[in-house]
Amino acid sequence: MTGPTEPGNTVKRRRNPAALLVLPGVVYLVIAFVAVVALLISYSVRVERTSVLFAPVDLTTWSTALGDSYLWSTVGTTLRLGLIVSLITVVIAYPLAWCVQTMKRGWAAAAMLFVVFSPILVSVVVRSYGWQLLLRTGGPFGDTFDSWLYHEPGVILALVHVELPFAVFPILSSIRTIPAEYTEAAADLGASAAQRFRKVLLPLTAPGLLSALQLVFTLTISAFATPALLGGGRVTVLAQTIYQNIQLLAWPLAAVQAVILLVLTLIVLSLFAAVTRLIGGGVR
Amino acid sequence: MSDFGASSVEISDVTRTFGSQRVLGSISLSIRASSFHCLLGPSGCGKTTLLRIMAGLDTPDTGVVTIGGTDHSRTAAHRRPTNLVFQSGALFPHLTVADNVAFGLKTDRRTPQGEARSRVAEILDLVAMGEYADRRPATLSGGQRQRVAIARALVRRPDVLLLDEPLSALDLALQLRMRRELRRWQQETGTTFVCVTHNQSEAMELADEIAVMNAGVVEQSGSARDLYEQPASRFVASFIGENNIFEKLTPMDEGHTADGLVFPAGRADSLAVRPEAIRLVPADHPASRGPGRVLTTSFTGKSVRVSLRTSTGREVLAELAPGATTAQAGDTVGIDFDDAAVRRFGAAA
């Protein structure tokens, strides 16, 4: 006997009305991501910009681009910046997050969070020119940091600054899930402060650390304005060459580079996901 | 089992204040080596704070904590000869059962690896968790987690094992079973166990000695029998076992009365009579100390429990042998008890 009274049936038939709420977001993402990526891929297999949607496939742009050593040096700079910036940011963010968590007074923790989040309240252009004023010869630090401006250290400094909040937040939320009892239990079992950190706190906050790394890395390798303004044309990342090629109307080449950037991002994201599974798999 | 430690604990004049709230007001307590000692009291009485002070996880404002003859008042938690079992177990979620238990052996690096492994296996066998060595805490039941937590603390062979409400998260049937097991582990290891609980039947079943705490002070410390038969205060009388408490003893023409019953002459703010000391007699019987209306009667197997109301409205519970009464709800009977069964508290000056 099957009928509406059978629980299995009724459950299947009834849709969750909340699912409709997801619709605008899904439509938006499909248009913004899938359509744009499809367009990019179609542009990358042309030799010049054309209004014909289904022009014949031509891989000349791909082979020129992949054989270009300048492109690979740009890819190298992009990845190096991503790696250095995400490591420095996370190393700074981790103690910051602990500091916010352990602050006893509510207003002090709120003030600390405001300081951490202040970089994203300032426009990227203003922030970058601010860094230029700080670093330039004759600035408040004399010529100490002169050699940093328009070179990689300056770009790294500014990128770490703006991406700090994106690292603090996931770390802070992972710290907040750890009950004080774990640290107390570790101390009670003879662990010194260093052992408590290494054997209990670090492994339990590793998922937060990894998502912070992942977020900052992704943001850094796609950053455009900060490297453009503080790199002074000497530090060229992938996002800038894409922009330059669009300016030069070399749309297929820009598309090839954009696809490379996307693939790099996807590779890094899946690497992080694999590591997270490996570490976090047993915790839950 | 050999090699397990056992030390006495001496607490002298320990006080502790959180902000403006005085949690412990001058506690002094002696705990014998190799005994099972319970700190019993209602929530908020300071018993957990006292336990955490023994563990070194909290620091007293004043006073001295001596463990095995050595002053440990200012010793950090990780250097004390004590180990604590948390109410929640606090097992590390990222480690297996065996690694959780081995944690406290790896921290001091004095225990060779091979010995550590055999000690972990030995202690997991003691708590009957040997076959779960490779499981993660999240896959264990509440009772299993508590066994692992106890093993993790015991494997370090502390001089004193501190337990913070170790059974309160478990269902009643499991609590009853684990009480017997806790007692057995204590006897097999010979370690001093100090156990915090709010459950008087748990304390009475487990402990050699019970310290009854209330509002930051130890009201009375002694064996379960001492506390039951000779309660030193009204609080202890009402907290340990069941008791009928009567207020305001007033002198009258014939003896003294409180709550409509006649008591032997004397001074007291309150009086206590155990339910099992009460007898029911006919209402007009000369031995009757006063009338009581039967509200309910219930048969529990070992006894008949009769609840009565005196002429002033005070409820009285009588616990009688089955067949000792035929009283029904609505009947009026006489309430009787021996003079010797009356405990008096707080004689007014």
Side-chain angles (χ1 to χ4, degrees):
Chain A
M1 276 264 283
T2 52
T5 45
E6 205 174 350
N9 264 346
T10 46
V11 166
K12 248 184 191 172
R13 232 172 263 165
R14 200 187 304 141
R15 283 211 186 87
N16 185 355
L20 276 177
L21 296 174
V22 185
L23 204 62
V26 170
V27 169
Y28 185 76
L29 287 176
V30 165
I31 291 173
F33 185 75
V34 179
V36 169
V37 168
L39 217 57
L40 270 182
I41 292 172
S42 103
Y43 268 129
S44 74
V45 291
R46 311 280 164 77
V47 273
E48 58 187 32
R49 190 182 173 192
T50 165
S51 55
V52 182
L53 202 55
F54 296 104
V57 168
D58 187 331
L59 292 175
T60 323
T61 317
W62 273 99
S63 61
T64 341
L66 293 179
D68 180 6
S69 66
Y70 178 68
L71 173 71
W72 290 114
S73 89
T74 311
V75 168
T77 308
T78 308
L79 288 177
R80 189 172 59 247
L81 276 181
L83 205 67
I84 295 172
V85 168
S86 51
L87 284 177
I88 294 178
T89 310
V90 165
V91 165
I92 296 174
Y94 196 79
L96 263 181
W98 272 108
C99 183
V100 172
Q101 171 67 10
T102 50
M103 274 181 164
K104 287 198 176 70
R105 290 183 187 83
W107 63 265
M112 188 76 184
L113 272 181
F114 180 79
V115 170
V116 168
F117 282 83
S118 63
I120 38 177
L121 301 176
V122 181
S123 136
V124 61
V125 179
V126 175
R127 200 181 336 105
S128 300
Y129 281 115
W131 277 110
Q132 285 189 9
L133 288 176
L134 277 179
L135 297 179
R136 74 192 165 98
T137 324
F141 300 110
D143 50 9
T144 323
F145 298 109
D146 187 39
S147 60
W148 286 22
L149 188 56
Y150 307 131
H151 289 90
E152 267 187 38
V155 176
I156 290 170
L157 202 61
L159 282 173
V160 167
H161 176 221
V162 67
E163 272 150 29
L164 206 52
F166 299 101
V168 170
F169 202 66
I171 295 174
L172 188 58
S173 48
S174 82
I175 287 174
R176 288 195 167 148
T177 62
I178 304 178
E181 279 183 354
Y182 290 164
T183 344
E184 289 183 345
D188 184 73
L189 293 167
S192 62
Q195 286 173 321
R196 296 200 284 273
F197 176 74
R198 199 163 42 79
K199 292 176 163 224
V200 177
L201 296 178
L202 195 58
L204 288 177
T205 49
L209 263 178
L210 279 169
S211 51
L213 269 176
Q214 191 172 351
L215 197 58
V216 174
F217 187 89
T218 321
L219 286 172
T220 306
I221 62 172
S222 57
F224 168 71
T226 307
L229 291 170
L230 287 166
R234 267 185 288 251
V235 184
T236 315
V237 294
L238 215 40
Q240 279 168 273
T241 60
I242 294 170
Y243 175 76
Q244 284 159 7
N245 282 321
I246 290 173
Q247 299 267 293
L248 298 171
L249 297 180
W251 283 51
L253 187 56
V256 166
Q257 290 167 337
V259 170
I260 291 175
L261 184 58
L262 184 65
V263 169
L264 281 178
T265 311
L266 289 178
I267 289 174
V268 170
L269 286 184
S270 50
L271 276 178
F272 272 116
V275 175
T276 308
R277 250 198 317 279
L278 211 66
I279 294 178
V283 175
R284 299 274 163 240
Chain B
M1 268 184 223
S2 56
D3 301 329
F4 282 90
S7 282
S8 60
V9 181
E10 200 71 44
I11 289 159
S12 339
D13 301 318
V14 161
T15 61
R16 181 73 172 101
T17 311
F18 291 136
S20 61
Q21 202 198 347
R22 197 172 182 83
V23 181
L24 295 179
S26 199
I27 298 258
S28 291
L29 189 64
S30 291
I31 295 168
R32 278 181 296 116
S34 295
S35 68
F36 201 130
H37 205 111
C38 276
L39 304 178
L40 173 66
S43 58
C45 73
K47 55 193 191 299
T48 295
T49 305
L50 183 60
L51 194 78
R52 288 171 57 86
I53 284 173
M54 292 187 217
L57 294 174
D58 199 355
T59 319
D61 298 337
T62 61
V64 178
V65 177
T66 309
I67 300 167
T70 313
D71 182 355
H72 279 291
S73 310
R74 295 288 177 271
T75 311
H78 67 279
R79 298 186 199 283
R80 289 208 186 191
T82 58
N83 279 110
L84 177 65
V85 177
F86 288 79
Q87 185 170 7
S88 67
L91 296 178
F92 304 125
H94 60 296
L95 300 178
T96 62
V97 164
D99 287 339
N100 260 286
V101 176
F103 188 95
L105 295 176
K106 287 177 184 160
T107 49
D108 65 2
R109 296 198 188 86
R110 274 185 307 234
T111 318
Q113 236 182 11
E115 193 201 321
R117 220 172 296 127
S118 67
R119 270 169 70 176
V120 169
E122 176 199 47
I123 210 79
L124 282 177
D125 282 343
L126 177 73
V127 299
M129 287 296 292
E131 56 184 302
Y132 298 93
D134 296 324
R135 297 268 289 266
R136 300 260 181 186
T139 66
L140 303 178
S141 70
Q144 291 171 333
R145 276 204 284 272
Q146 239 17 16
R147 287 165 187 275
V148 176
I150 291 165
R152 183 176 73 172
L154 263 182
V155 78
R156 283 177 49 90
R157 297 181 180 164
D159 291 345
V160 182
L161 185 75
L162 307 167
L163 304 108
D164 185 8
E165 305 246 9
L167 308 182
S168 65
L170 310 179
D171 65 58
L172 189 62
L174 195 55
Q175 279 189 24
L176 297 178
R177 208 175 83 207
M178 281 199 67
R179 281 181 197 174
R180 293 193 294 275
E181 290 187 304
L182 263 181
R183 191 78 184 114
R184 182 169 62 82
W185 299 334
Q186 191 270 330
Q187 279 164 354
E188 284 181 22
T189 59
T191 301
T192 313
F193 276 36
V194 180
C195 180
V196 156
T197 177
H198 64 267
N199 183 325
Q200 52 103 3
S201 77
E202 183 177 307
M204 289 175 88
E205 186 170 341
L206 286 175
D208 297 312
E209 199 161 324
I210 301 169
V212 180
M213 291 182 66
N214 185 35
V217 296
V218 174
E219 294 253 346
Q220 189 177 0
S221 187
S223 69
R225 189 173 193 133
D226 289 346
L227 297 177
Y228 193 85
E229 292 178 351
Q230 321 265 299
S233 66
R234 183 186 186 281
F235 177 81
V236 175
S238 61
F239 201 73
I240 302 285
E242 288 176 305
N243 233 328
N244 295 299
I245 309 276
F246 303 96
E247 315 284 354
K248 289 180 304 220
L249 191 62
T250 354
M252 298 288 278
D253 297 344
E254 301 161 32
H256 291 52
T257 66
D259 286 314
L261 300 178
V262 178
F263 284 87
R267 287 174 168 178
D269 284 342
S270 49
L271 308 117
V273 181
R274 292 281 177 199
E276 63 271 24
I278 289 181
R279 289 184 299 267
L280 301 186
V281 294
D284 53 1
H285 195 276
S288 170
R289 291 172 180 270
R293 240 171 73 83
V294 176
L295 299 173
T296 60
T297 67
S298 55
F299 176 72
T300 68
K302 282 176 261 172
S303 65
V304 175
R305 291 161 68 87
V306 182
S307 122
L308 306 121
R309 179 166 284 160
T310 66
S311 55
T312 62
R314 164 76 58 182
E315 245 187 71
V316 174
L317 179 70
E319 186 148 20
L320 309 162
T325 183
T326 54
Q328 299 291 313
D331 293 354
T332 300
V333 297
I335 296 172
D336 181 32
F337 42 82
D338 293 340
D339 285 356
V342 180
R343 305 270 335 154
R344 296 157 181 272
F345 306 108

